[in-house]
Amino acid sequence: MATNVICFGSSITQAGGVPEPQRWPTIVQAELNAWRPGAYSVTNRGIGGNTTANLVDRFGADVLPLLPGVVVLQIGGNDACLVPWAKGVQRVSADEFRRNLRALQAAVAGRGGTMVFSTYHRFDTGHIESYKAYARITREVAAATGSPLIDLYRMMVERGTELEGFVTEDGIHLTANGNAQYAAMVLDGLKP
């Protein structure tokens, strides 16, 4: 029986701005099929605009039925976003973000699955400093829970990945090229 790989997150995971065959979870499926045919079944459970609070709410319907398996949790950008009308306030506080990450990891582990945390990629928007703080929390929770981490932000820095051609004009969402590079980094993090 194939191992389920559940890509769980927001619009970056959903990758709705490109055709289905060019979305990074679809590319991950194709590459895993080429590596070990029939060994993995990748499911995309990304929904645009989601935060960790949304993921906690929909975990039972969207992830639980697919466990045990590997959950690639790619979240944080929307949590770290500043609320436009409340200066300096994130959509999800750092403390709540940390609690939500831990709750999701515990739920996955409790069903015999493996949580693989992922930081967001590099991007170019006004709230990058807020995001960096949330990426640090993701790294801390991964380390504290003994969970694997795919540190996309650091991988992009180490590989010298330029944002031009990687993200769309909004500075956040992925182009087809960005999706392909994203998939390669996720696979590098998953295969070991």
Side-chain angles (χ1 to χ4, degrees), residues 92-183:
V92 173
S93 73
D95 287 341
E96 182 183 354
F97 180 68
R98 184 178 286 105
R99 281 193 305 274
N100 291 341
L101 292 180
R102 286 182 169 275
L104 290 165
Q105 189 278 334
V108 170
R111 295 296 179 136
T114 301
M115 176 68 83
V116 178
F117 288 100
S118 172
T119 62
Y120 250 51
H121 58 284
R122 286 178 51 229
F123 55 84
D124 185 20
T125 67
H127 70 281
I128 190 67
E129 290 308 315
S130 296
Y131 169 70
K132 287 180 181 179
Y134 282 60
R136 282 191 296 275
I137 293 168
T138 301
R139 293 180 189 110
E140 290 165 9
V141 171
T145 59
S147 301
L149 172 70
I150 301 172
D151 199 334
L152 294 167
Y153 192 93
R154 287 186 178 160
M155 290 170 98
M156 288 181 71
V157 171
E158 290 167 2
R159 295 172 187 209
T161 305
E162 297 293 330
L163 290 180
E164 186 175 341
F166 188 90
V167 294
T168 60
E169 289 181 13
D170 69 6
I172 299 172
H173 294 93
L174 304 174
T175 63
N177 174 53
N179 271 277
Q181 291 186 61
Y182 216 83

Side-chain angles (χ1 to χ4, degrees), residues 5-47:
V5 177
I6 305 106
C7 302
F8 195 37
S10 60
S11 60
I12 303 303
T13 302
Q14 185 179 24
V18 297
E20 181 68 37
Q22 296 176 339
R23 296 176 186 183
W24 71 262
T26 306
I27 296 168
V28 166
Q29 177 71 74
E31 291 296 322
L32 289 173
N33 284 346
W35 181 51
R36 294 204 175 145
Y40 300 94
S41 176
V42 177
T43 304
N44 185 341
R45 291 291 191 248
I47 295 180

